[in-house]
Amino acid sequence: MHITQLNRECLLHLFSFLDKNSRKNLAKTCHKLLEVFQDPLLWNLLNFHSPVELKKDNFLLGPALKYLSICWYSERVKVCNIEDWMKNSFQKDFCNRHENTVSDFLLDVCNRCPNLLSLTLSGCGHVTDDCILQLLKNCPKLQSLKLENCVRITDHTLEAVTLYGGSLRTLHVDFCRNITQAGLQRVREKCPSVMLRAERSANMIPDSKPEKKLMLEKASRKLVQL
């Protein structure tokens, strides 16, 4: 029996065991398998392991997507997590190559995937509060939001959760150094049903530009003199 003789349900089941590249390669063999590849029901879960994978034409975004994970654990993540004002020209050039990649992809998710239930981002150092805000607005069914080592995320994201995260049940903001205790407390007060976790976040040193540090140092010296 040839694989193309199987019905649509069986083919979808078989495709579900393949990774994105294997699905794409198999879809190139005939028109029937291409139709299976393009079936939105096949794409209810997507996992990515680097920003580069987001630019490949080996997946489909659609209303069937419910679970999305973008986790980047490469050593290069450390470059993206350096404060912008501290980066040298080489580091800035490296970041410029993919600075908007994840954010642009998530905005695409906002427009195409209104039924998203779970989003996990790890090591995505360029994702901003505005991006998460738009996602919360456009994906009202979102139940789980897990952010790890996303250094540009601040209390503005926590505020957006209190305003637009009506369906949210789980919120992780681990190792997000610009989150504060005040922001976390506001989420606990406004959204008591949300399971909140913020490992190390509010205890880390936040980003601050040199002029801000100088002002703090001057203020400290004045206090010492008094």
Side-chain angles (χ1 to χ4, degrees):
M1 185 178 187
H2 194 272
I3 187 173
T4 56
Q5 294 178 287
L6 296 172
N7 61 33
R8 186 62 164 258
E9 289 72 20
C10 288
L11 290 173
L12 283 170
H13 185 65
L14 290 175
F15 264 77
S16 69
F17 290 99
L18 303 176
D19 59 33
K20 295 188 289 295
N21 284 334
S22 298
R23 292 178 182 181
K24 183 66 175 180
N25 291 334
L26 186 57
K28 293 178 181 178
T29 59
C30 72
H31 182 70
K32 183 174 182 179
L33 295 180
L34 177 60
E35 289 182 347
V36 176
F37 175 84
Q38 294 173 337
D39 193 323
L41 295 178
L42 182 63
W43 304 100
N44 69 325
L45 182 151
L46 281 172
N47 293 315
F48 299 94
H49 304 289
S50 77
V52 176
E53 293 184 15
L54 302 177
K55 296 184 177 182
K56 294 183 177 180
D57 185 28
N58 60 358
F59 61 90
L60 183 71
L61 284 181
L65 181 64
K66 294 183 178 180
Y67 307 95
L68 173 62
S69 173
I70 306 173
C71 297
W72 195 22
Y73 298 118
S74 166
E75 284 293 316
R76 290 173 291 181
V77 172
K78 295 179 181 179
V79 176
C80 298
N81 289 339
I82 297 173
E83 294 93 328
D84 289 338
W85 58 271
M86 288 186 64
K87 291 175 182 174
N88 58 39
S89 58
F90 173 79
Q91 292 166 334
K92 289 180 179 179
D93 180 64
F94 172 78
C95 289
N96 286 339
R97 299 174 191 174
H98 61 265
E99 183 171 6
N100 298 317
T101 301
V102 178
S103 295
D104 289 346
F105 177 81
L106 290 177
L107 292 177
D108 208 11
V109 170
C110 290
N111 295 325
R112 300 189 187 187
C113 312
N115 299 311
L116 189 68
L117 298 178
S118 174
L119 172 65
T120 298
L121 301 178
S122 181
C124 300
H126 298 294
V127 172
T128 64
D129 295 317
D130 288 339
C131 187
I132 300 300
L133 169 63
Q134 292 303 317
L135 191 131
L136 288 168
K137 285 183 175 181
N138 288 276
C139 302
K141 299 180 181 179
L142 192 68
Q143 298 177 3
S144 175
L145 177 60
K146 297 181 180 180
L147 308 175
E148 179 187 55
N149 207 12
C150 297
V151 296
R152 292 193 181 183
I153 296 302
T154 72
D155 286 356
H156 291 299
T157 285
L158 300 182
E159 178 68 19
V161 165
T162 65
L163 296 174
Y164 305 106
S167 299
L168 211 60
R169 296 295 174 264
T170 300
L171 174 63
H172 292 179
V173 282
D174 299 334
F175 298 92
C176 297
R177 63 174 178 251
N178 290 299
I179 294 292
T180 70
Q181 287 289 1
L184 295 173
Q185 185 59 33
R186 183 174 179 81
V187 173
R188 293 188 181 100
E189 293 174 355
K190 297 288 185 178
C191 309
S193 62
V194 173
M195 294 180 61
L196 176 62
R197 192 180 81 182
E199 185 177 350
R200 296 284 299 277
S201 291
N203 297 321
M204 299 178 75
I205 300 174
D207 296 346
S208 57
K209 293 183 179 181
E211 56 267 23
K212 292 183 179 179
K213 289 187 175 180
L214 184 61
M215 291 174 64
L216 290 173
E217 289 174 359
K218 288 181 178 179
S220 297
R221 284 198 294 268
K222 287 182 179 180
L223 288 174
V224 171
Q225 291 173 357
L226 294 174

